[in-house]
Structure formats: C-alpha cells, structure tokens
Amino acid sequence: MGCPHYIDYTRQCIQYFHRIVEYPGFDTCDSDNYHNCLAYIVLKSGFVCKNQNQCLEDLVGAIPPLIKYFIEDDKTIQLFKNMVEKYCSSKENHVQCACYKLFEQGIHPPAELLPDEKKIRLRDIVFKKEIVIE
C-alpha cells in the first residue's frame, strides 16, 4: 500500500509543498511508511498553518544537502512528526507554535527554532551518529 497522494507515480502533494519535488526518492510514498511523511500528516489533518510553507522553506534552506542524508533516522523523523502533529497541522494548537508567535509579531524566526520553543542543533544530530566507512 502507498500514500493516497501518490497517484499514478505522481506525488500530488507537490501542489501544496513544492519542495517535495526535490526529495530524491519515492520509497516513503510507495510503502506503508507514508504515515511518517510530514506532508501526508498535514494533508490528512485538513488544516494548513498560514506560515507552514515559509517554515518549511527556512528549514530546507538551512540544512546543507549532505546533512539531509544523516538526519533521516527514526529518532529525527519522530521528532519532526510529533511537532507537525502537535502544532503545524492542528487548528487549535498552531497558535501556540513559537515560530507562529514570532511571525505574528513581524519577526522572522530562526530556522533552528522548533514549535515547542526548543532549538535544534543539526551538528548534535550529525555528530551523535556512528559513521561507518566501508
């Protein structure tokens, strides 16, 4: 089974999240793991925060391409999934998001700011991993 937004080998969620076209593979879309896809979670909820695309652009722009391969582990995916479910895709809770609050004040939030007011340091995620060279 695959994602309902992956129809005829086309990711229809691209119309909502343009950066998905840059994602290198379709493995998540074409498997039972699509429930972990952040775009799927948002589209399933039926609510899209007005700042969501800007937050996504900032996050994608702040992460160097090489690091993206290191942060796609279960722990990091679960962290982002929890944040998206609790804040970004919640009509009730999105106003509690730290980034949303800053946007409302006319302040552009830093890319490392998480919705729960914590900051993520990408170097911590990368350097806590065991790198195996074969």
Side-chain angles (χ1 to χ4, degrees):
M1 187 171 160
C3 177
H5 300 288
Y6 184 58
I7 299 170
D8 295 329
Y9 302 102
T10 303
R11 293 177 278 191
Q12 291 186 328
C13 50
I14 289 171
Q15 60 189 311
Y16 304 102
F17 304 103
H18 306 292
R19 284 284 190 162
I20 291 175
V21 74
E22 297 174 16
Y23 197 77
F26 296 89
D27 292 345
T28 301
C29 307
D30 199 22
S31 72
D32 289 336
N33 291 331
Y34 72 90
H35 293 285
N36 290 326
C37 174
L38 302 181
Y40 171 78
I41 293 167
V42 171
L43 293 174
K44 178 184 79 167
S45 77
F47 173 78
V48 177
C49 173
K50 67 181 181 179
N51 301 315
Q52 190 163 308
N53 277 330
Q54 185 61 55
C55 288
L56 179 62
E57 289 292 321
D58 291 350
L59 182 62
V60 170
I63 301 174
L66 181 60
I67 292 180
K68 291 176 189 175
Y69 293 104
F70 290 106
I71 65 171
E72 291 185 349
D73 64 293
D74 291 338
K75 184 178 179 182
T76 308
I77 289 170
Q78 191 61 42
L79 168 75
F80 284 110
K81 183 179 174 185
N82 290 342
M83 293 294 156
V84 167
E85 287 175 336
K86 185 172 182 180
Y87 297 99
C88 309
S89 64
S90 170
K91 187 174 183 177
E92 297 79 25
N93 292 338
H94 78 283
V95 295
Q96 301 304 318
C97 170
C99 298
Y100 179 88
K101 290 175 184 178
L102 289 176
F103 275 123
E104 289 298 296
Q105 296 173 29
I107 301 169
H108 196 99
E112 64 272 5
L113 182 65
L114 294 174
D116 63 358
E117 298 182 9
K118 294 179 183 174
K119 290 189 177 180
I120 187 168
R121 294 189 314 196
L122 295 176
R123 69 176 184 260
D124 290 347
I125 293 172
V126 172
F127 292 125
K128 287 181 182 176
K129 299 212 174 293
E130 178 181 345
I131 299 173
V132 178
I133 301 173
E134 295 180 337

